[in-house]
Amino acid sequence: MTRIVSGTHGGRKLEVPDTGTRPTSERVREALFSRLESWDEVDGARVIDVFAGSGALGLEARSRGAALVTLVDSAPKAARVMRGNVTKNRFDNVQVVQADAAKFTSIHDYTLALLDPPYDIDMEYLERVLIHLQEFLADDALVALELSARTPEPAWPEGYVRESERKWGETRVWFLTFSANAGSVEA
């Protein structure tokens, strides 16, 4: 069972597509959001959840005070499940977009991007997604990218600065800052 960990919707259950997704574990979501909240990155944030699956990461952000959330996934089944989770749990200011992660469009400048792609994602495709995402990120936006702990560190496109990384069990999350004036460097 997947549920919202904390915030105004804490404890509410989320449906998960029966195939094609790997929801972030509750333990990792709790650790991730504890970190993000300690950096004051969630309350009032404009959040995009890319490769959203059930929408658990984005809906967790909304429950914890994000101002608005956009959930993006290419799978029709995932989009249906996310719409159901939004409706059933009475989330407001949440938009579901069924689109390819390298081709979606948005009217927002996001301050926080959460990416939880399949662990076997093609790294060239991931790089295209990160480059495309820049069009919709506010300057100094924080990006949290979740991959398998066994996945080598991706090559970061120009504009991203790796701030840190954290490993929780089989999951590793890289934290990046986006700046239109930055090259691809490590902090």
Side-chain angles (χ1 to χ4, degrees):
M1 171 184 67
T2 298
R3 66 184 181 90
I4 300 294
V5 177
S6 188
T8 59
H9 291 69
R12 295 198 187 172
K13 295 178 184 176
L14 298 175
E15 297 298 319
V16 176
D18 53 5
T19 59
T21 62
R22 175 202 33 80
T24 301
S25 74
E26 192 171 304
R27 179 176 153 249
V28 171
R29 272 187 290 123
E30 178 62 34
L32 171 64
F33 278 93
S34 177
R35 188 122 216 252
L36 293 172
E37 287 178 324
S38 75
W39 292 340
D40 198 26
E41 292 287 344
V42 179
D43 192 39
R46 296 180 309 276
V47 178
I48 186 162
D49 179 356
V50 183
F51 306 103
S54 66
L57 288 175
L59 296 177
E60 185 76 41
R62 181 69 184 110
S63 180
R64 292 173 183 245
L68 66 89
V69 173
T70 300
L71 307 172
V72 178
D73 201 292
S74 63
K77 185 183 289 187
R80 279 193 302 277
V81 167
M82 289 186 294
R83 285 185 188 100
N85 284 335
V86 169
T87 301
K88 179 180 81 175
N89 291 299
R90 298 183 177 153
F91 279 100
D92 62 352
N93 296 325
V94 176
Q95 173 188 21
V96 175
V97 176
Q98 182 189 333
D100 184 292
K103 298 178 181 174
F104 71 90
T105 62
S106 180
I107 60 170
H108 301 292
D109 287 332
Y110 297 101
T111 58
L112 176 60
L114 306 169
L115 285 80
D116 183 14
Y119 279 179
D120 63 350
I121 190 167
D122 175 79
M123 287 298 149
E124 288 180 15
Y125 176 68
L126 179 59
E127 184 175 0
R128 286 195 312 271
V129 170
L130 288 168
I131 290 168
H132 176 71
L133 182 61
Q134 292 178 357
E135 184 177 340
F136 308 105
L137 293 177
D139 204 35
D140 292 328
L142 183 68
V143 177
L145 172 63
E146 177 183 334
L147 291 171
S148 166
R150 292 181 292 263
T151 303
E153 182 171 358
W156 306 119
E158 190 169 321
Y160 291 100
V161 176
R162 182 173 71 79
E163 301 294 339
S164 66
E165 68 179 89
R166 248 329 183 231
K167 183 180 172 202
W168 295 290
E170 289 298 310
T171 301
R172 183 183 321 264
V173 177
W174 279 278
F175 297 95
L176 316 166
T177 301
F178 169 72
S179 175
N181 299 320
S184 178
V185 295
E186 192 173 309

